[in-house]
C-alpha cells in the first residue's frame, strides 16, 4: 500500500477519529485530516481537488449529524473532481438494507466498528486499493 496517501476521516465521534488516525499512522500513513460530519468534510475535499492537493482516500462513518455518510458518499460520487476517491464506510449499522444502500451509492467497502482494528483496516484498505489498481 502506498505510504504517501492522504486520508480523510469523517466521524462525529472524536474518539473514533483518533482511533482510525492512530491505526493509519501505525500503517505508515502520516497525512490524515478529519471532519465531524459530511457537510464539514465536503468543502476541504472540494478545495483540495481544486488546489491540486487532493485527499486520496475517505474513511467515513454512516451515522452523523447534518450530512451522514451515505449523503457524503453520494455527494462525492456526484462531483467530477471527487468521484474517483476510494471511500470506506466504517459503521455500527449491520442491517442489510444499509449495506446495500452503501454499495449502490458507490462505497468501495465497509467495516463494522466493533470489528475495527489496525489489521482489519489494513486488509480493507489493501483490498480496495488493489481492486482499484486492477480496474
Amino acid at each position: 500500500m502506498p505510504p504517501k496517501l492522504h486520508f480523510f476521516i469523517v466521524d462525529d465521534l472524536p474518539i473514533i477519529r483518533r482511533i482510525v488516525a492512530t491505526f493509519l499512522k501505525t500503517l505508515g500513513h502520516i497525512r490524515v485530516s478529519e471532519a465531524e460530519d459530511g457537510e464539514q468534510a465536503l468543502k476541504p475535499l472540494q478545495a483540495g481537488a481544486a488546489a491540486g492537493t487532493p485527499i486520496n482516500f475517505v474513511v467515513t462513518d454512516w451515522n452523523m449529524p447534518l450530512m451522514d455518510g451515505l449523503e457524503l458518499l453520494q455527494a462525492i460520487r456526484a462531483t467530477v473532481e471527487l468521484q474517483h476517491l476510494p471511500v470506506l464506510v466504517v459503521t455500527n449499522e449491520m442491517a442489510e438494507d444499509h449495506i446495500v444502500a452503501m454499495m449502490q451509492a458507490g462505497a468501495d467497502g465497509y467495516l463494522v466498528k466493533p470489528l475495527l482494528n489496525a489489521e482489519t483496516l489494513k486488509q480493507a484498505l489493501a483490498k480496495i486499493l488493489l481492486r482499484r489498481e486492477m480496474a
Side-chain angles (χ1 to χ4, degrees):
M1 186 175 343
K4 299 204 187 270
L5 295 178
H6 184 175
F7 282 82
F8 204 107
I9 305 165
V10 188
D11 197 301
D12 57 322
L13 298 175
I15 187 72
I16 298 296
R17 292 194 311 268
R18 199 167 325 125
I19 289 168
V20 174
T22 299
F23 291 161
L24 289 169
K25 288 175 183 176
T26 299
L27 297 172
H29 301 285
I30 56 172
R31 295 177 62 205
V32 177
S33 298
E34 300 179 15
E36 294 179 8
D37 59 61
E39 189 174 280
Q40 190 182 72
L42 201 51
K43 291 175 187 168
L45 284 168
Q46 292 168 332
T53 56
I55 290 164
N56 306 108
F57 207 114
V58 176
V59 178
T60 186
D61 185 21
W62 173 280
N63 291 316
M64 297 179 290
L66 301 180
M67 178 186 278
D68 66 25
L70 180 60
E71 293 167 324
L72 174 61
L73 176 59
Q74 291 167 333
I76 288 170
R77 295 296 179 243
T79 305
V80 173
E81 299 82 13
L82 302 176
Q83 63 189 6
H84 68 282
L85 279 176
V87 178
L88 174 67
V89 179
V90 179
T91 181
N92 286 325
E93 299 293 336
M94 294 176 52
E96 186 176 337
D97 60 329
H98 284 221
I99 294 167
V100 169
M102 278 187 279
M103 301 316 274
Q104 287 178 340
D108 291 283
Y110 71 95
L111 288 175
V112 180
K113 281 184 186 175
L115 304 176
L116 180 62
N117 59 49
E119 186 58 30
T120 58
L121 181 60
K122 178 182 177 181
Q123 290 173 6
L125 297 176
K127 183 178 177 180
I128 290 168
L129 292 171
L130 179 64
R131 188 172 48 234
R132 283 180 161 260
E133 189 178 293
M134 297 176 101

